Amino acid sequence: MYLDQPEDDYNLSLSKFESMLKTNKVFFFDSEEFEEIILHYLDMGKSNLAKKALKLGLEQHPKSTGLKLVQVEMLVYEDKLDVAEKMLNELYAIEPTNEEIFIQKANIYSKRDNHEKAVELLQEALKYTEDFADVFNLIGMEYLFMDNLEKAKESFIKCLEEDIDDQSALYNVVYCYEFLDQNSEAIEYIKKYINKNPYSEIAWHQQGRLHYGLKEYENAVQAFEFATYIDDEFLGAYMENGKALERLKRYEEAIENYQKTIDLDDPTSYALLRIGKCHEKLGNKTEALKYFNKTVHEDPLLDKGWIAITDFYLRQKNYNKALQFVNKALAIDEQNRAYWKRFATINKAMGLYEEAENGYRKAVENGDNNLDTWLSWADILQFLGEFHNAIMTLLQASEFYPEESEIEYRLAGLYFTLIEEEKASFHLSNGLRLNYKNQNVLQKLFPEIWKSESVKSFINKHKK
């Protein structure tokens, strides 16, 4: 709410103040100059210099309400809320129509988590302010703190009605719409906004994001392209456009957009990875591999990069290379469940079943609770003849998937193998109840059990 100086005057004031500090000479500044100097240092995080400027400012202008309000702002920042509130009450007695007093009071109540009172004070500030946009923006933020997204959205929209170029308010409006699952309504709002402000690259970018979220990829591409026409260095729009073009299988164009982000700034591992994926889709295997290698070189901690290289070699059935890269990945992060699962898959394909079992176990220990991981682990244990361990694994899996026929048929087969007829019958009954047609699991994994006349008879009795 403080008045801005022309930039040249502003820089001159700063130079003059800093010269004064170095020489110990005392120069005169008007109160508004002091306000700008103090706020500059606060923005720079130089609180000591801000305090020096405030002290000198109050010595030269002891009755300046503006400087006292800056002092209040500093006190609030330091959580000295009671002192700040006392000062505001004194200032209110002198200037009861000063909107900044209400704004700072609202700030104090917000800090105390009394957001309803903060909104009440900000609405009072609206009666006296000339900067409606700023106050509506503050009201919107208070409603966000209260998780009242509808009211927050209304406030940010009012802010934009007062200041159409307020980008933070535009982002917040879209955030509210998205949080409320109102993407279509958000698009309609953005269209109206664009009619008033057609050269807002932010609005076009947000419209593109919203279309992308609704899987309207053609519309998303159009919006992102408008954003880049307005600002040909808009990295985010190029990146998002690349993603939308990938969805449309327009891989060459997607590569161009990802490449543009690299040309404009330092390469990101994400852009390199996506370029590699696009080349792979186009059948350019050499180029794909080149970019996957660039990805892990740029960011060795990005698991998607290592996974992309490993999966590339897996698809080529080049298991030795795949194993080489997954081992490199594990050397960097041995707690990554995705790496361990691929380690297991590769070793299984190579016939190294004990290594595969270790991989599936490590994947589960590190949080992989996908059904296929549990089943693959149990099947490897069964293959290795570790029937009791296979049973224990499946019983653990059943805690996550209590109604899964794949687990029940496997348990039935294992208990039949161990000649524990009662438990076997119990689990076979469960499997048939859950999915009668899925009994081929038993046939595939336990062919000898499947051929048993007693088992066939049991299955026929439970036929629906």
Side-chain angles (χ1 to χ4, degrees):
M1 302 299 172
Y2 304 101
L3 296 173
D4 291 329
Q5 291 177 261
E7 191 171 347
D8 288 344
D9 292 347
Y10 172 64
N11 290 331
L12 184 62
S13 297
L14 277 174
S15 299
K16 184 178 166 187
F17 178 77
E18 288 179 1
S19 172
M20 182 179 75
L21 292 179
K22 290 174 184 174
T23 61
N24 289 323
K25 292 180 181 178
V26 178
F27 299 136
F28 180 82
F29 298 86
D30 67 37
S31 61
E32 286 184 4
E33 281 183 294
F34 270 120
E35 288 176 45
E36 293 287 354
I37 291 166
I38 295 162
L39 292 172
H40 166 79
Y41 287 130
L42 286 176
D43 289 341
M44 296 290 290
K46 298 179 178 179
S47 59
N48 285 336
L49 285 173
K51 286 176 181 178
K52 281 184 182 179
L54 177 63
K55 183 175 181 293
L56 287 166
L58 287 171
E59 285 173 0
Q60 291 187 10
H61 306 279
K63 294 184 180 180
S64 168
T65 302
L67 285 172
K68 288 179 180 177
L69 284 168
V70 173
Q71 185 178 14
V72 166
E73 191 172 331
M74 291 173 69
L75 288 167
V76 172
Y77 178 77
E78 294 171 350
D79 282 329
K80 296 176 180 177
L81 304 183
D82 292 338
V83 179
E85 189 171 31
K86 183 181 177 184
M87 279 190 68
L88 285 170
N89 289 335
E90 291 170 358
L91 290 169
Y92 176 75
I94 301 166
E95 292 188 28
T97 60
N98 186 323
E99 81 273 15
E100 189 65 25
I101 293 172
F102 292 100
I103 289 167
Q104 291 302 332
K105 278 193 171 188
N107 196 9
I108 289 171
Y109 278 100
S110 182
K111 281 247 184 182
R112 290 171 173 162
D113 291 328
N114 189 343
H115 302 294
E116 294 88 348
K117 183 65 177 177
V119 167
E120 184 184 317
L121 287 160
L122 289 168
Q123 286 170 340
E124 196 68 23
L126 285 171
K127 297 176 184 177
Y128 309 110
T129 190
E130 293 179 2
D131 190 353
F132 293 100
D134 199 6
V135 178
F136 280 127
N137 198 28
L138 291 170
I139 292 171
M141 294 306 297
E142 291 304 318
Y143 279 124
L144 281 183
F145 290 135
M146 290 188 274
D147 292 326
N148 189 334
L149 277 296
E150 279 291 353
K151 287 283 189 183
K153 181 180 71 179
E154 291 172 15
S155 299
F156 292 127
I157 288 172
K158 287 178 181 177
C159 172
L160 286 167
E161 287 169 357
E162 296 293 332
D163 179 5
I164 200 166
D165 294 318
D166 190 322
Q167 293 182 1
S168 68
L170 182 59
Y171 279 120
N172 282 327
V173 168
V174 175
Y175 168 79
C176 292
Y177 273 116
E178 287 186 294
F179 193 90
L180 293 164
D181 200 20
Q182 298 173 349
N183 283 35
S184 297
E185 293 90 334
I187 289 171
E188 289 307 309
Y189 174 79
I190 292 288
K191 283 179 180 177
K192 292 176 184 175
Y193 177 89
I194 287 171
N195 285 336
K196 296 177 185 176
N197 192 10
Y199 296 105
S200 169
E201 72 276 21
I202 301 299
W204 283 110
H205 176 247
Q206 291 300 300
Q207 188 181 69
R209 282 186 57 257
L210 291 161
H211 281 302
Y212 186 92
L214 293 172
K215 300 183 179 179
E216 297 169 356
Y217 302 121
E218 291 282 2
N219 290 333
V221 166
Q222 186 180 50
F224 291 136
E225 285 179 350
F226 274 119
T228 59
Y229 294 153
I230 297 164
D231 179 358
D232 62 4
E233 295 187 355
F234 195 160
L235 287 173
Y238 286 116
M239 190 72 80
E240 298 281 355
N241 201 24
K243 288 166 59 180
L245 288 162
E246 270 197 82
R247 293 287 188 175
L248 293 168
K249 300 183 179 179
R250 290 159 59 179
Y251 300 115
E252 292 95 342
E253 293 170 80
I255 289 170
E256 288 174 14
N257 277 268
Y258 291 132
Q259 185 61 49
K260 189 70 175 176
T261 69
I262 294 170
D263 294 340
L264 289 169
D265 200 359
D266 293 334
T268 64
S269 56
Y270 181 81
L272 294 167
L273 176 63
R274 296 322 309 170
I275 291 173
K277 291 277 189 181
C278 288
H279 277 301
E280 189 174 16
K281 292 287 186 181
L282 291 166
N284 304 331
K285 293 178 183 176
T286 303
E287 284 296 299
L289 191 56
K290 181 176 85 173
Y291 277 95
F292 292 151
N293 278 303
K294 283 184 177 182
T295 301
V296 296
H297 178 75
E298 182 66 31
D299 183 4
L301 298 179
L302 181 71
D303 59 356
K304 289 180 181 178
W306 293 106
I307 288 167
I309 297 178
T310 303
D311 288 351
F312 175 86
Y313 283 118
L314 265 173
R315 282 188 284 273
Q316 311 303 313
K317 296 188 177 179
N318 188 340
Y319 301 122
N320 285 320
K321 274 285 188 183
L323 187 60
Q324 176 188 334
F325 278 96
V326 84
N327 279 330
K328 283 184 179 181
L330 283 166
I332 295 168
D333 180 7
E334 64 177 8
Q335 295 181 328
N336 189 304
R337 57 181 178 266
Y339 296 164
W340 280 114
K341 188 167 183 176
R342 281 163 176 78
F343 176 88
T345 302
I346 296 162
N347 278 288
K348 181 180 176 183
M350 295 173 75
L352 303 171
Y353 296 107
E354 289 185 356
E355 290 294 320
E357 187 276 326
N358 180 51
Y360 286 125
R361 176 165 46 80
K362 289 282 191 181
V364 169
E365 285 174 358
N366 285 290
D368 184 343
N369 287 313
N370 289 312
L371 178 62
D372 69 311
T373 308
W374 285 104
L375 296 179
S376 297
W377 184 17
D379 291 347
I380 288 285
L381 287 166
Q382 179 203 333
F383 180 84
L384 292 170
E386 297 184 27
F387 302 129
H388 289 288
N389 285 337
I391 288 170
M392 291 302 298
T393 298
L394 289 166
L395 289 174
Q396 286 180 66
S398 67
E399 294 177 14
F400 296 94
Y401 303 95
E403 297 288 300
E404 180 50 62
S405 65
E406 293 255 6
I407 294 173
E408 296 299 326
Y409 283 119
R410 281 172 168 79
L411 284 168
L414 286 163
Y415 279 122
F416 275 127
T417 301
L418 295 171
I419 319 177
E420 296 190 35
E421 301 285 338
E422 187 176 342
K423 290 180 180 178
S425 298
F426 171 78
H427 288 288
L428 181 55
S429 176
N430 281 344
L432 294 166
R433 173 180 58 82
L434 292 166
N435 189 334
Y436 187 83
K437 292 180 181 179
N438 217 13
Q439 59 191 263
N440 64 336
V441 171
L442 199 63
Q443 182 180 10
K444 179 184 175 183
L445 295 174
F446 303 91
E448 295 303 317
I449 301 297
W450 173 258
K451 293 175 187 175
S452 164
E453 290 300 324
S454 61
V455 170
K456 285 184 178 180
S457 174
F458 187 93
I459 292 172
N460 288 330
K461 284 181 184 176
H462 288 76
K463 191 171 183 178
K464 296 180 180 178

